[in-house]
Amino acid sequence: MPAPTPSPPYYYPARRAEPAAAPRRGGGALAGCLLALLLGMAFLLGMVLLSGAELSLAAARLAERSLNRPDLARAMLEAASLAWPKSAGLHNQLGELYLRGGQNQLAQDELEQAVRLDPALAAAQNNLGLLRLGSGLAEAAIPYFQSALALDPTSPELLLNLGRAYSLAGQLSPAAQSYQRAGSLALDGARGWSQAGLTYLSLGEYNPAHQAFEQALAQEPGNAPALFGLGALLLQQGRPQEAIPYLEAAAQLLPADPVPSLYLGLAYRELGQPDPARQALELARRLSASSALSAQIDAILAQTNP
């Protein structure tokens, strides 16, 4: 059985969302007092030297990132957005917090208000794209990322977001191009290059796929998606012996992902080594949480002699 072609977005291990951290105890009261004082200073200094909206943004970021208190950051931004209702930055930051908290309608309201106040705010356009993407509306997300990129054309993160939207919408050629641009622009562009390679591989364009994987591994030798992609590419080219070291490395780096083990089993099977083939395939079967993938592995196992 020939190796199946990876199909986006499954083949690139998704970043799992981190569970929301519980509010800290103990020093929370003191931190709350300090941040409340900062908010009060924002009102006073807003009339003198500093922008009150900007100081509120800084205090909210401190609450969320340094003190791990997104609830306090949200409360501060809600109050500040009432005090400075024409601050696009405040509405964008509040919308982003709502988005991360799963409050999509509130997020949409704040982000759309931010864009109305400042159509040139790339961050708000990007967040609206992420909102659509998280709601399963990949095609609807594309124009927002395009608008954000028109405002900030050298942002690797925006290009990665656009590439993912294209990929999820089934538009693989522009997805590969976006990922490749992200890889070429970022100081650490391994993620962009590896995703470009995997997308080119799905398109059957082996030469640009190979070049993209090599670029990713030159920047990050332990990049698991690039290792997997290069192994899958070699396997599809009928070179299973060369594929095995890359697939083994990917399987070790992604111990919870069944796909590298599936491809490793296929490589051993192509070499006529049924014992390591079955071992890798059975591991992939145990790891699989997809009924379609499990059925595919079962069919391959049935054809692999013990």
Side-chain angles (χ1 to χ4, degrees), residues 18-160:
E18 296 294 332
R24 293 185 178 180
R25 304 293 181 187
L30 178 58
C33 290
L34 289 172
L35 286 166
L37 179 61
L38 276 174
L39 184 57
M41 290 171 60
F43 281 92
L44 295 174
L45 293 175
M47 299 300 294
V48 185
L49 296 175
L50 301 178
S51 162
E54 289 176 359
L55 187 57
S56 296
L57 279 171
R61 290 191 183 104
L62 173 65
E64 182 188 12
R65 298 172 188 176
S66 300
L67 301 178
N68 197 23
R69 290 290 307 273
D71 56 328
L72 182 57
R74 185 170 57 249
M76 292 177 66
L77 288 171
E78 287 170 345
S81 66
L82 293 175
W84 294 281
K86 293 186 179 181
S87 169
L90 283 173
H91 287 288
N92 173 65
Q93 193 67 24
L94 181 55
E96 189 174 314
L97 273 177
Y98 283 141
L99 179 59
R100 288 203 292 270
Q103 297 174 283
N104 287 359
Q105 187 57 57
L106 289 174
Q108 179 171 319
D109 293 343
E110 293 297 329
L111 295 171
E112 288 179 347
Q113 177 66 359
V115 170
R116 281 193 293 270
L117 290 167
D118 184 0
L121 186 59
Q125 299 279 5
N126 178 60
N127 282 328
L128 281 167
L130 292 173
L131 175 62
R132 300 296 188 277
L133 205 57
S135 302
L137 303 172
E139 196 157 351
I142 292 171
Y144 291 103
F145 294 134
Q146 289 174 328
S147 296
L149 272 166
L151 298 164
D152 187 4
T154 60
S155 167
E157 209 55 46
L158 292 177
L159 285 162
L160 286 170

Side-chain angles (χ1 to χ4, degrees), residues 177-235:
Q177 294 165 13
S178 295
Y179 287 143
Q180 187 167 323
R181 282 184 62 203
S184 65
L185 287 171
L187 294 176
D188 178 13
R191 187 179 176 205
W193 283 116
S194 62
Q195 293 215 39
L198 289 164
T199 309
Y200 280 127
L201 182 58
S202 292
L203 288 165
E205 298 182 21
Y206 291 163
N207 286 338
H210 191 279
Q211 292 169 8
F213 292 139
E214 292 289 355
Q215 287 277 3
L217 293 173
Q219 295 190 22
E220 184 186 331
N223 184 274
L227 290 165
F228 163 70
L230 194 50
L233 172 59
L234 292 167
L235 181 58

